[in-house]
Amino acid sequence: MPSRRSPGRRRGAAAGAAAALVAALACASPACAPAPALAPSSGPAPLRSLRIPDGDIDRAPRAVSAAEALGDLDDARYAFEHAYAGLDGRSPLPPPGALARARGALRSRAAWRPDELARLLRDLFEAPDGHLVFGHGGRAPLRLTVAPRRPPPGPAPLLFAGSPPLSRAAVAEGAPLPDLPRRVAPPRRLGLPVELTRSSVGVPVLAVRTFDSAAAAALAALPALAAELRRAPAFVVDLRGNAGGDYRFAERFARALTDAPLCALDEREVISVAAAEGRANSVRRRLARGDVPDEARPRFLEHLAALERLAGALRARPSAAPRVDLTTRGALVRGRAAGPRGATSARGVFLVDRGCASACEMLLALVRQIPGVLVAGQNTRGGMSVGEVALFRLPRSGVTLSFGTRAFRDPLGDFVELRGFEPDVRLDGADPLGDAAALALRGWPEGAPRRGARASCARR
């Protein structure tokens, strides 16, 4: 299920009757919200249907003629124009000259294999976006992403290679750790979605392995578990390998860790028929593939129905703008914890690696504002700037496009797409979890950067 932003902080009034209409229609979705300031795209365009027929969701691709490849290129251009949120400051479309060269290349050959067409489209629409994917399904599926890039050179975070073992009594003199539940969900093949244990020195360790809505029952326990962590003088949140999911679970967890206001991520969401149909395509593919547990299917089916209602309502108003971008900047989210924790005693270490992406990185954008929180481990993946993934299948070749319909910005300005977040303390030892627990006990190393909630959420 695509990651979805919590809607409760959208601000502002609708800009014009058409904008007000679109904002009202957006309430057909579960993420309904008051209408924020709107920025309609330029120029009307005929509305096409990008809904993937049910029988074609994972159908094998086929080779196409040059004329058919040109038709698919035009559909891809339409999908990007009407649904791709894109990175701030960048057009969702390639320059006209690049499009013209791509058309010329397609005309130069009589036929195109689907993998060849997918690579041409990837090269044409490529952007530094960790959620941008081209490929196809079938017996030999293809998945083409933006090539991974090494983090740019810069000041290296502090290295922490471990520490001598510490006794349970060293956690806090005279302050016993609370008795915490060890499991909050049924076992899964790759481990529990949420699991609370202790390190060898008694530090509570909360592993959050996904924010996928398929694990909603386990993720619903996160606010209560956050309250348990706050009772401990030190704790670790293990986010390694968490590829994201529904951001609302991540935000609820962050808000339960503090009573202070936090700067929300800036957000720009595309509202259009194409975006709604693309999101619905993503949900229907997951359902068709059978990777949604039975207990989660009603939630997915409800979300799918809401997206299809939204697409139908938007299509029924042809006079409305074909695309409207809803923008929220400088908003605050209020912490929901019962009382503050002291900045000197609150030592929470969030352990991350290159597997932490999307909603996982969005969680870091919030918790990094909480005094006492330290991010340790390795760089995160760098796939947060464009989320709420939509899926499209080009009708002639069967080549697929997958990209985000919501753009986000880190309120502290430290996140870089494809590079991710740099850890405050880099853990390069053989036992990163043990090192993180020792780091939580010892507190901030000398020289490690300190952050905190900002007085203003204005963009730096």
Side-chain angles (χ1 to χ4, degrees), residues 47-102:
L47 298 179
R48 308 180 190 180
S49 175
L50 299 180
R51 185 186 188 279
I52 303 175
D54 292 337
D56 290 348
I57 286 288
D58 263 332
R59 179 171 292 177
R62 68 178 186 89
V64 292
S65 67
E68 290 173 313
L70 285 165
D72 274 359
L73 170 59
D74 188 54
D75 282 341
R77 179 204 58 77
Y78 179 89
F80 272 85
E81 179 182 7
H82 290 271
Y84 181 42
L87 302 169
D88 279 344
R90 294 175 64 108
S91 169
L93 292 177
L99 279 165
R101 288 190 293 274

Side-chain angles (χ1 to χ4, degrees), residues 293-315:
D294 289 343
E295 64 272 17
R297 283 185 65 85
R299 180 185 180 89
F300 277 69
L301 290 170
E302 178 185 0
H303 183 47
L304 174 60
L307 287 169
E308 292 182 334
R309 285 196 305 270
L310 174 60
L314 291 168
R315 187 178 293 282

Side-chain angles (χ1 to χ4, degrees), residues 312-324:
L314 291 168
R315 187 178 293 282
R317 310 289 283 204
S319 61
R323 166 177 171 158
V324 175

Side-chain angles (χ1 to χ4, degrees), residues 195-209:
E195 187 173 16
L196 186 54
T197 59
R198 295 186 191 277
S199 74
S200 60
V201 293
V203 175
V205 177
L206 177 64
V208 186
R209 299 185 174 97

